[in-house]
Amino acid sequence: MSTPELPDCCDIGTEEKEASSQKVHKLRAKRDQEDEVDPVYKKLSAINGEINRMTVKELHDKLRELKLDVRGTKDILKKRLKMHFKQRKLMKAKAKPPGDSTYDYLIIIDFEATCQENNLNYTHEIIEFPAVLLDCHTRTLVDEFHEFCKPLVNPRLTEFCTFLTGISQEVVDKADEFPAVLDRMQSWMNGHYLGIDHTFAIVTDGPWDMSRFLQIQCNLSKIPFPYWAKKWINIRKAYSSYYSCKRMNLEEMLTNLGLKFEGIQHCGLHDSRNIARIAIQLLQDGCDLVKNEFLHVAPPSPGARGADKCASGKTQRDSNEKKSKSSEEMEQRLKELKLESKNFVDENEDLLEYHRLQSA
């Protein structure tokens, strides 16, 4: 009998399509020529049933016995234990075990941008550019890139922005403009041979960093959108999909894993480090983080910076007359982002949530 293989999670095999009327186990066990489930999957099914019936104390005891992490909610503990036995059984059966990383490295990015309280149409400019480099094989952080950027459309930071991000006016005044910082960031990537000798992917907390902040900034700076930022891993989506839970924010994901936020919230570098901690835990629990969102990017239009200045001035005058926009108007603006993902409706809701939080 041929060595059993795990099918692609985004593809359903021919045999499974033909057997759609039958109940198929969540592991999507691949049937052999006699249309029988491989014995290793039957054993895994029985093990998973036993794990599902375990109490939290029993899960903790078993994980400690196996010298595995005991932090997290009950669902995460069950997932961790199931994946451990799955890896062990498949390796014993000489099948490719799950958990092998698609990429050599992950770059975790969490921008901080200019903002104004109660102004949903404020022209955001990136003022903090952090990047944390994670080795997927050793599951350790190996390097960091961190610089500030000088805003041009709204060079004076609002009190709200300084309070939220902790970034002072003096810091951004001394900083270089975004294009120069982006060039140094890409030189830093080249120094690690990313995209040359090593595969990598960008990781963000939600869709906003790439689809909104970076796209707006590139248009303002009249520079091409970076090729490496057109596809990325939304850690919220990967987390909720892998652990079969609702979509959570950064602090909720950490809490669910039994972790606490380290550092200062809304500091881009500290946020990036904490996102990296979640990515490490996902990798340790057997999750293969893959790109799950991408963006169609139009080239920057001529005179975009001047047009945005005029638009920003008009928006601020309008905001004095009307402080909030309707959901329909916000949704119309979101359509212009052309965000592509497996669930566009959820991403719209995520972006709307961001606007509501900012206005609150």
Side-chain angles (χ1 to χ4, degrees), residues 77-155:
L77 298 178
K78 289 194 294 185
K79 183 74 174 183
R80 188 173 296 147
L81 194 55
K82 288 177 182 179
M83 185 56 66
H84 169 79
F85 284 108
K86 184 177 181 181
Q87 290 174 327
R88 195 166 74 176
K89 291 292 182 183
L90 290 179
M91 288 179 68
K92 189 175 180 180
K94 296 182 179 180
K96 182 180 178 181
D100 291 345
S101 177
T102 298
Y103 311 105
D104 296 321
Y105 291 93
L106 298 176
I107 303 177
I108 297 88
I109 295 176
D110 192 84
F111 295 123
E112 295 300 326
T114 56
C115 52
Q116 185 178 61
E117 192 173 12
N118 298 325
N119 187 351
L120 303 182
N121 294 302
Y122 192 79
T123 302
H124 299 289
E125 298 173 84
I126 293 173
I127 53 176
E128 185 181 2
F129 197 142
V132 174
L133 187 61
L134 168 61
D135 187 326
C136 294
H137 304 296
T138 63
R139 295 163 188 170
T140 57
L141 303 183
V142 295
D143 200 5
E144 292 178 349
F145 174 89
H146 184 229
E147 288 199 28
F148 294 97
C149 309
K150 179 187 294 185
L152 298 178
V153 175
N154 295 292

Coordinates of all heavy atoms in Angstrom, one line a residue, residues 77-155:
L77 N -5.6 23.7 24.3 CA -4.9 22.5 24.9 C -5.3 21.3 24.1 O -4.4 20.4 23.8 CB -5.3 22.4 26.3 CG -4.9 23.5 27.3 CD1 -5.4 23.3 28.7 CD2 -3.4 23.8 27.3
K78 N -6.5 21.1 23.7 CA -7.0 19.9 23.0 C -6.3 19.9 21.6 O -5.8 18.9 21.1 CB -8.5 19.9 22.8 CG -9.2 19.6 24.1 CD -10.7 19.2 23.9 CE -11.5 20.4 23.4 NZ -12.9 20.1 23.3
K79 N -6.3 21.1 20.9 CA -5.7 21.2 19.6 C -4.2 20.8 19.7 O -3.6 20.1 18.8 CB -5.8 22.6 19.1 CG -5.3 22.8 17.7 CD -6.2 22.2 16.6 CE -5.7 22.5 15.2 NZ -6.6 22.0 14.2
R80 N -3.5 21.3 20.7 CA -2.1 21.0 20.9 C -1.8 19.6 21.1 O -0.9 19.0 20.5 CB -1.6 21.9 22.1 CG -0.1 21.9 22.3 CD 0.3 22.8 23.4 NE 0.0 24.2 23.0 CZ -0.4 25.2 23.8 NH1 -0.5 24.9 25.1 NH2 -0.7 26.4 23.4
L81 N -2.6 18.9 21.9 CA -2.4 17.5 22.2 C -2.7 16.7 21.0 O -2.0 15.7 20.7 CB -3.3 17.1 23.4 CG -3.0 15.7 24.0 CD1 -1.6 15.6 24.5 CD2 -4.0 15.5 25.2
K82 N -3.8 17.0 20.3 CA -4.1 16.3 19.0 C -3.0 16.4 18.0 O -2.7 15.4 17.4 CB -5.5 16.8 18.5 CG -6.7 16.5 19.3 CD -7.9 17.1 18.6 CE -9.2 16.9 19.4 NZ -10.4 17.5 18.9
M83 N -2.5 17.6 17.8 CA -1.4 17.8 16.8 C -0.2 17.0 17.2 O 0.5 16.5 16.4 CB -1.1 19.2 16.7 CG -0.1 19.6 15.6 SD -0.6 18.9 14.0 CE -2.1 19.9 13.6
H84 N 0.1 16.9 18.5 CA 1.3 16.1 19.0 C 1.1 14.7 18.6 O 2.1 14.1 18.0 CB 1.4 16.2 20.5 CG 2.4 15.3 21.1 ND1 3.8 15.5 21.0 CD2 2.3 14.0 21.7 CE1 4.4 14.5 21.6 NE2 3.5 13.6 22.0
F85 N 0.0 14.1 18.8 CA -0.2 12.7 18.5 C -0.3 12.5 17.0 O 0.2 11.5 16.4 CB -1.5 12.1 19.1 CG -1.3 11.8 20.6 CD1 -1.9 12.6 21.6 CD2 -0.5 10.7 21.0 CE1 -1.7 12.4 22.9 CE2 -0.3 10.5 22.4 CZ -0.9 11.3 23.3
K86 N -0.8 13.5 16.3 CA -0.9 13.4 14.8 C 0.5 13.4 14.2 O 0.8 12.5 13.3 CB -1.7 14.6 14.3 CG -1.9 14.5 12.8 CD -2.8 15.7 12.3 CE -3.0 15.7 10.8 NZ -3.8 16.8 10.4
Q87 N 1.4 14.3 14.7 CA 2.7 14.3 14.2 C 3.5 13.0 14.5 O 4.2 12.5 13.6 CB 3.5 15.5 14.8 CG 3.0 16.8 14.3 CD 3.6 18.0 15.0 OE1 3.9 17.9 16.2 NE2 3.8 19.1 14.3
R88 N 3.3 12.5 15.7 CA 4.0 11.3 16.1 C 3.5 10.1 15.3 O 4.4 9.3 14.9 CB 3.8 11.1 17.6 CG 4.8 10.1 18.2 CD 4.8 10.1 19.7 NE 3.6 9.5 20.3 CZ 3.3 9.4 21.6 NH1 4.2 9.9 22.5 NH2 2.2 8.9 22.1
K89 N 2.2 9.9 15.2 CA 1.7 8.8 14.5 C 2.1 8.8 13.0 O 2.4 7.7 12.4 CB 0.2 8.7 14.6 CG -0.3 8.4 16.0 CD 0.0 7.0 16.4 CE -0.6 6.7 17.8 NZ -0.2 5.3 18.2
L90 N 2.0 10.0 12.4 CA 2.4 10.0 10.9 C 3.8 9.8 10.7 O 4.2 9.2 9.7 CB 1.9 11.4 10.4 CG 0.4 11.6 10.3 CD1 0.1 13.0 9.7 CD2 -0.2 10.5 9.4
M91 N 4.7 10.3 11.6 CA 6.1 10.0 11.5 C 6.4 8.6 11.6 O 7.2 8.0 10.9 CB 6.9 10.8 12.5 CG 6.9 12.3 12.3 SD 7.8 13.2 13.6 CE 9.5 12.6 13.3
K92 N 5.7 7.9 12.6 CA 5.9 6.5 12.8 C 5.4 5.7 11.5 O 6.0 4.7 11.2 CB 5.1 6.0 14.0 CG 5.4 4.6 14.4 CD 4.7 4.2 15.7 CE 5.0 2.8 16.2 NZ 4.3 2.5 17.4
A93 N 4.4 6.2 10.9 CA 3.9 5.6 9.6 C 4.7 6.0 8.4 O 4.3 5.6 7.3 CB 2.4 5.9 9.5
K94 N 5.7 6.8 8.6 CA 6.6 7.3 7.5 C 5.8 8.1 6.5 O 6.1 8.1 5.3 CB 7.3 6.1 6.8 CG 8.2 5.3 7.7 CD 8.9 4.2 7.0 CE 9.8 3.4 7.9 NZ 10.5 2.3 7.2
A95 N 4.9 8.8 7.1 CA 4.1 9.8 6.2 C 4.6 11.2 6.6 O 5.2 11.4 7.7 CB 2.6 9.7 6.5
K96 N 4.4 12.2 5.7 CA 4.9 13.5 6.0 C 4.0 14.1 7.1 O 2.8 14.3 7.0 CB 4.7 14.4 4.8 CG 5.3 15.8 5.0 CD 5.1 16.6 3.7 CE 5.6 18.1 4.0 NZ 5.4 18.9 2.8
P97 N 4.7 14.5 8.2 CA 3.9 15.0 9.4 C 3.5 16.4 9.1 O 4.1 17.2 8.4 CB 4.9 14.9 10.5 CG 6.2 15.1 9.9 CD 6.1 14.4 8.6
P98 N 2.4 16.9 9.7 CA 2.0 18.3 9.6 C 2.9 19.2 10.4 O 3.6 18.7 11.3 CB 0.6 18.3 10.2 CG 0.6 17.2 11.2 CD 1.5 16.1 10.6
G99 N 2.8 20.5 10.2 CA 3.6 21.4 11.0 C 4.9 21.9 10.3 O 5.5 22.8 10.9
D100 N 5.3 21.3 9.2 CA 6.4 21.8 8.5 C 6.1 23.2 7.9 O 5.0 23.4 7.3 CB 6.8 20.9 7.3 CG 7.4 19.6 7.9 OD1 7.7 19.5 9.1 OD2 7.5 18.6 7.1
S101 N 6.9 24.2 8.1 CA 6.7 25.5 7.7 C 6.9 25.7 6.2 O 7.8 25.2 5.6 CB 7.5 26.5 8.5 OG 7.3 27.8 8.0
T102 N 6.0 26.5 5.6 CA 6.1 26.8 4.1 C 7.2 27.7 3.9 O 7.9 27.7 2.9 CB 4.8 27.4 3.6 OG1 3.7 26.4 3.8 CG2 4.9 27.8 2.2
Y103 N 7.5 28.6 4.8 CA 8.5 29.6 4.7 C 9.7 29.5 5.6 O 9.5 28.9 6.7 CB 7.9 31.0 4.9 CG 6.6 31.2 4.1 CD1 5.4 31.2 4.8 CD2 6.6 31.4 2.7 CE1 4.2 31.4 4.0 CE2 5.5 31.6 2.0 CZ 4.2 31.6 2.7 OH 3.1 31.7 2.0
D104 N 10.8 30.0 5.2 CA 12.0 30.0 6.1 C 11.9 31.1 7.2 O 12.3 30.8 8.3 CB 13.3 30.2 5.3 CG 13.5 29.1 4.3 OD1 13.3 27.9 4.6 OD2 14.0 29.4 3.2
Y105 N 11.3 32.2 6.8 CA 11.3 33.3 7.7 C 9.9 34.0 7.6 O 9.2 34.0 6.6 CB 12.3 34.4 7.5 CG 13.7 33.9 7.8 CD1 14.5 33.3 6.8 CD2 14.3 34.1 9.1 CE1 15.8 32.9 7.1 CE2 15.6 33.6 9.4 CZ 16.3 33.0 8.4 OH 17.6 32.6 8.7
L106 N 9.5 34.7 8.7 CA 8.3 35.5 8.7 C 8.8 36.9 9.2 O 9.6 37.1 10.1 CB 7.3 35.0 9.7 CG 6.7 33.6 9.4 CD1 5.7 33.2 10.5 CD2 6.0 33.6 8.1
I107 N 8.3 38.0 8.5 CA 8.5 39.3 8.9 C 7.2 39.9 9.4 O 6.3 40.1 8.7 CB 9.0 40.2 7.7 CG1 10.2 39.6 7.0 CG2 9.3 41.6 8.1 CD1 10.7 40.4 5.8
I108 N 7.3 40.2 10.7 CA 6.1 40.7 11.4 C 6.1 42.2 11.4 O 7.1 42.8 11.8 CB 5.9 40.2 12.8 CG1 5.8 38.7 12.8 CG2 4.8 40.8 13.5 CD1 7.1 37.9 12.8
I109 N 5.1 42.9 10.8 CA 5.1 44.3 10.7 C 3.8 44.9 11.3 O 2.7 44.3 11.1 CB 5.1 44.7 9.2 CG1 6.5 44.3 8.6 CG2 4.9 46.3 9.1 CD1 6.6 44.6 7.1
D110 N 3.9 45.9 12.1 CA 2.8 46.6 12.7 C 3.0 48.1 12.7 O 3.7 48.6 13.6 CB 2.5 46.1 14.1 CG 1.1 46.6 14.6 OD1 0.1 45.9 14.3 OD2 1.1 47.6 15.3
F111 N 2.5 48.8 11.6 CA 2.8 50.2 11.4 C 2.0 51.0 12.5 O 1.0 50.6 13.0 CB 2.3 50.7 10.1 CG 3.1 50.1 8.9 CD1 2.4 49.4 7.9 CD2 4.4 50.3 8.8 CE1 3.1 48.9 6.8 CE2 5.1 49.7 7.7 CZ 4.4 49.0 6.7
E112 N 2.6 52.2 12.8 CA 1.8 53.2 13.5 C 1.7 54.4 12.6 O 2.7 54.7 11.9 CB 2.5 53.6 14.8 CG 2.6 52.5 15.9 CD 1.2 52.0 16.3 OE1 0.3 52.8 16.3 OE2 1.1 50.8 16.6
A113 N 0.5 55.0 12.5 CA 0.3 56.1 11.5 C -0.4 57.3 12.2 O -0.9 57.2 13.3 CB -0.6 55.6 10.4
T114 N -0.3 58.4 11.5 CA -0.9 59.6 12.1 C -2.4 59.4 12.1 O -3.0 58.7 11.3 CB -0.6 60.8 11.2 OG1 -1.0 60.5 9.8 CG2 0.9 61.2 11.2
C115 N -3.0 60.1 13.1 CA -4.5 59.9 13.3 C -5.1 61.1 14.0 O -4.3 61.9 14.6 CB -4.8 58.6 14.1 SG -3.9 58.5 15.6
Q116 N -6.4 61.2 13.9 CA -7.1 62.3 14.5 C -8.3 61.8 15.1 O -9.1 61.0 14.5 CB -7.4 63.5 13.5 CG -8.0 64.7 14.2 CD -8.3 65.8 13.2 OE1 -9.1 65.6 12.2 NE2 -7.7 66.9 13.3
E117 N -8.6 62.2 16.4 CA -9.8 61.7 17.1 C -11.1 62.1 16.3 O -11.2 63.2 15.9 CB -9.8 62.2 18.5 CG -10.8 61.5 19.4 CD -10.6 61.9 20.9 OE1 -9.9 62.9 21.1 OE2 -11.2 61.3 21.7
N118 N -12.0 61.2 16.2 CA -13.3 61.4 15.6 C -13.3 61.9 14.2 O -14.1 62.6 13.7 CB -14.1 62.5 16.5 CG -14.4 62.0 17.9 OD1 -14.6 60.8 18.1 ND2 -14.3 62.9 18.8
N119 N -12.2 61.5 13.5 CA -12.2 61.8 12.0 C -11.9 60.6 11.3 O -10.7 60.1 11.2 CB -11.1 62.9 11.8 CG -11.1 63.4 10.3 OD1 -11.7 62.8 9.5 ND2 -10.3 64.4 10.1
L120 N -12.9 60.0 10.7 CA -12.8 58.7 10.0 C -12.1 58.8 8.7 O -11.6 57.8 8.1 CB -14.2 58.1 9.8 CG -15.0 57.8 11.1 CD1 -16.3 57.2 10.7 CD2 -14.2 57.0 12.1
N121 N -12.0 60.0 8.1 CA -11.4 60.2 6.8 C -10.1 60.9 6.9 O -9.6 61.4 5.9 CB -12.4 61.1 5.9 CG -13.7 60.3 5.6 OD1 -13.7 59.3 5.1 ND2 -14.8 60.9 6.0
Y122 N -9.4 60.8 8.0 CA -8.1 61.4 8.2 C -7.1 60.7 7.3 O -7.1 59.5 7.1 CB -7.7 61.3 9.6 CG -6.5 62.2 10.0 CD1 -6.6 63.5 10.3 CD2 -5.2 61.6 10.1 CE1 -5.5 64.3 10.6 CE2 -4.1 62.3 10.5 CZ -4.3 63.7 10.7 OH -3.2 64.4 11.1
T123 N -6.2 61.5 6.7 CA -5.2 60.9 5.8 C -4.1 60.4 6.7 O -3.3 61.1 7.2 CB -4.6 62.0 4.8 OG1 -5.7 62.5 4.1 CG2 -3.6 61.4 3.9
H124 N -4.0 59.1 6.7 CA -3.0 58.4 7.6 C -1.7 58.4 6.9 O -1.6 58.0 5.7 CB -3.4 57.0 7.9 CG -4.7 56.9 8.7 ND1 -4.9 57.3 10.0 CD2 -6.0 56.4 8.3 CE1 -6.1 57.1 10.4 NE2 -6.8 56.6 9.4
E125 N -0.6 58.7 7.6 CA 0.8 58.6 7.1 C 1.6 57.8 8.1 O 1.4 57.9 9.3 CB 1.4 60.0 7.0 CG 0.7 60.9 6.0 CD 1.3 62.3 6.1 OE1 2.4 62.5 5.4 OE2 0.8 63.1 6.8
I126 N 2.3 56.8 7.6 CA 3.1 56.0 8.5 C 4.2 56.8 9.2 O 5.0 57.5 8.6 CB 3.8 54.8 7.7 CG1 2.7 53.9 7.1 CG2 4.7 54.0 8.5 CD1 3.1 52.8 6.2
I127 N 4.2 56.7 10.5 CA 5.3 57.4 11.3 C 6.2 56.4 12.1 O 7.2 56.9 12.6 CB 4.6 58.4 12.3 CG1 3.6 57.7 13.2 CG2 4.0 59.6 11.5 CD1 3.0 58.6 14.2
E128 N 5.8 55.2 12.2 CA 6.7 54.2 12.8 C 6.7 52.9 11.9 O 5.7 52.4 11.6 CB 6.2 53.8 14.2 CG 7.2 52.9 14.9 CD 6.8 52.5 16.3 OE1 5.7 52.9 16.7 OE2 7.5 51.7 17.0
F129 N 7.9 52.5 11.6 CA 8.1 51.3 10.7 C 8.9 50.3 11.4 O 10.1 50.2 11.4 CB 8.8 51.8 9.4 CG 8.7 50.8 8.2 CD1 8.6 51.3 6.9 CD2 8.7 49.4 8.4 CE1 8.5 50.4 5.9 CE2 8.6 48.5 7.4 CZ 8.5 49.0 6.1
P130 N 8.2 49.3 12.1 CA 8.9 48.2 12.7 C 8.8 46.9 11.9 O 7.8 46.7 11.2 CB 8.2 48.1 14.0 CG 6.8 48.4 13.7 CD 6.8 49.4 12.5
A131 N 9.8 46.1 12.0 CA 9.8 44.8 11.4 C 10.6 43.8 12.3 O 11.7 44.1 12.7 CB 10.4 44.8 10.0
V132 N 10.0 42.7 12.6 CA 10.6 41.7 13.5 C 10.8 40.4 12.6 O 9.8 39.9 12.0 CB 9.7 41.4 14.7 CG1 10.3 40.2 15.5 CG2 9.6 42.6 15.6
L133 N 12.0 39.9 12.6 CA 12.3 38.7 11.8 C 12.3 37.4 12.6 O 13.0 37.3 13.6 CB 13.7 38.9 11.1 CG 14.1 37.8 10.1 CD1 13.1 37.8 8.9 CD2 15.5 38.1 9.6
L134 N 11.4 36.5 12.2 CA 11.2 35.2 12.9 C 11.7 34.1 12.0 O 11.3 33.9 10.9 CB 9.7 35.1 13.2 CG 9.3 33.7 13.7 CD1 10.0 33.3 15.0 CD2 7.8 33.7 13.9
D135 N 12.6 33.3 12.6 CA 13.1 32.0 11.9 C 12.1 30.9 12.2 O 11.8 30.5 13.3 CB 14.4 31.6 12.5 CG 15.1 30.5 11.7 OD1 14.3 29.6 11.3 OD2 16.3 30.5 11.6
C136 N 11.4 30.5 11.1 CA 10.4 29.5 11.3 C 10.9 28.1 11.7 O 10.1 27.3 12.2 CB 9.6 29.3 10.0 SG 8.6 30.8 9.5
H137 N 12.2 27.8 11.4 CA 12.7 26.5 11.7 C 13.2 26.4 13.2 O 12.9 25.4 13.8 CB 13.9 26.2 10.8 CG 13.5 26.3 9.3 ND1 12.6 25.4 8.7 CD2 13.9 27.1 8.3 CE1 12.4 25.7 7.5 NE2 13.2 26.7 7.2
T138 N 13.8 27.5 13.7 CA 14.2 27.5 15.1 C 13.1 28.1 16.0 O 13.2 28.0 17.2 CB 15.5 28.3 15.2 OG1 15.3 29.7 14.9 CG2 16.6 27.7 14.4
R139 N 12.2 28.8 15.3 CA 11.1 29.5 16.0 C 11.6 30.5 17.0 O 11.1 30.5 18.2 CB 10.1 28.4 16.7 CG 9.4 27.6 15.7 CD 8.9 26.3 16.3 NE 8.4 25.4 15.2 CZ 8.0 24.2 15.4 NH1 8.0 23.6 16.6 NH2 7.5 23.4 14.4
T140 N 12.5 31.2 16.6 CA 13.1 32.3 17.4 C 13.2 33.6 16.6 O 13.2 33.6 15.4 CB 14.5 31.9 17.9 OG1 15.4 31.6 16.7 CG2 14.5 30.7 18.7
L141 N 13.2 34.7 17.3 CA 13.4 36.0 16.7 C 14.9 36.2 16.5 O 15.7 36.1 17.4 CB 12.8 37.1 17.6 CG 11.3 37.0 18.0 CD1 10.9 38.2 18.8 CD2 10.5 36.8 16.7
V142 N 15.3 36.6 15.3 CA 16.7 36.7 15.0 C 17.2 38.2 14.7 O 18.3 38.4 14.8 CB 17.0 35.8 13.7 CG1 16.8 34.4 14.1 CG2 16.2 36.2 12.5
D143 N 16.2 39.0 14.4 CA 16.6 40.4 14.1 C 15.4 41.3 14.1 O 14.3 40.9 14.0 CB 17.4 40.5 12.8 CG 18.2 41.8 12.6 OD1 18.3 42.5 13.7 OD2 18.8 42.0 11.6
E144 N 15.7 42.7 14.2 CA 14.6 43.7 14.1 C 15.1 44.8 13.3 O 16.3 45.2 13.2 CB 14.3 44.1 15.5 CG 13.6 43.1 16.4 CD 13.4 43.6 17.8 OE1 13.9 44.7 18.2 OE2 12.7 42.9 18.6
F145 N 14.1 45.5 12.6 CA 14.3 46.7 11.9 C 13.3 47.7 12.6 O 12.1 47.4 12.8 CB 14.0 46.6 10.4 CG 14.1 47.9 9.7 CD1 15.2 48.4 9.1 CD2 12.9 48.6 9.5 CE1 15.3 49.6 8.4 CE2 12.9 49.8 8.8 CZ 14.1 50.3 8.3
H146 N 13.8 48.9 12.9 CA 12.9 49.9 13.5 C 13.3 51.3 13.2 O 14.5 51.7 13.5 CB 12.9 49.7 15.0 CG 11.9 50.5 15.7 ND1 12.2 51.3 16.8 CD2 10.6 50.8 15.5 CE1 11.2 52.0 17.2 NE2 10.2 51.7 16.4
E147 N 12.5 52.1 12.5 CA 12.7 53.5 12.3 C 11.4 54.2 12.3 O 10.3 53.7 12.1 CB 13.4 53.7 10.9 CG 14.9 53.2 10.9 CD 15.6 53.8 9.7 OE1 15.3 54.9 9.2 OE2 16.6 53.2 9.2
F148 N 11.6 55.6 12.5 CA 10.4 56.5 12.4 C 10.4 57.2 11.1 O 11.5 57.3 10.4 CB 10.5 57.4 13.6 CG 10.3 56.8 14.9 CD1 11.4 56.5 15.7 CD2 9.0 56.5 15.4 CE1 11.2 55.8 17.0 CE2 8.9 55.8 16.6 CZ 10.0 55.5 17.4
C149 N 9.3 57.7 10.7 CA 9.1 58.4 9.4 C 8.5 59.8 9.7 O 7.7 60.0 10.5 CB 8.2 57.6 8.5 SG 8.7 55.9 8.3
K150 N 8.9 60.8 8.8 CA 8.4 62.1 8.9 C 7.1 62.3 8.1 O 7.2 62.0 6.9 CB 9.5 63.1 8.4 CG 9.0 64.6 8.5 CD 10.0 65.5 7.9 CE 11.3 65.5 8.7 NZ 12.3 66.5 8.1
P151 N 6.0 62.7 8.7 CA 4.8 62.9 7.9 C 4.9 64.2 7.1 O 5.5 65.2 7.6 CB 3.7 62.9 9.0 CG 4.4 63.4 10.2 CD 5.8 62.9 10.1
L152 N 4.2 64.3 6.0 CA 4.3 65.5 5.2 C 2.9 66.1 5.0 O 2.8 67.4 5.0 CB 4.9 65.2 3.8 CG 6.4 64.6 3.8 CD1 6.8 64.3 2.4 CD2 7.3 65.6 4.5
V153 N 1.9 65.3 4.8 CA 0.6 65.9 4.6 C 0.1 66.6 5.9 O -0.4 67.7 5.8 CB -0.4 64.8 4.2 CG1 -1.8 65.4 4.1 CG2 0.0 64.2 2.8
N154 N 0.2 66.0 7.0 CA -0.1 66.5 8.3 C 1.2 66.4 9.2 O 1.3 65.5 10.0 CB -1.3 65.8 8.9 CG -2.6 66.0 8.1 OD1 -3.1 67.1 8.1 ND2 -3.0 64.9 7.6
P155 N 2.1 67.4 9.0 CA 3.4 67.2 9.7 C 3.3 67.4 11.2 O 4.1 66.9 11.9 CB 4.2 68.4 9.1 CG 3.2 69.3 8.5 CD 2.1 68.5 8.1

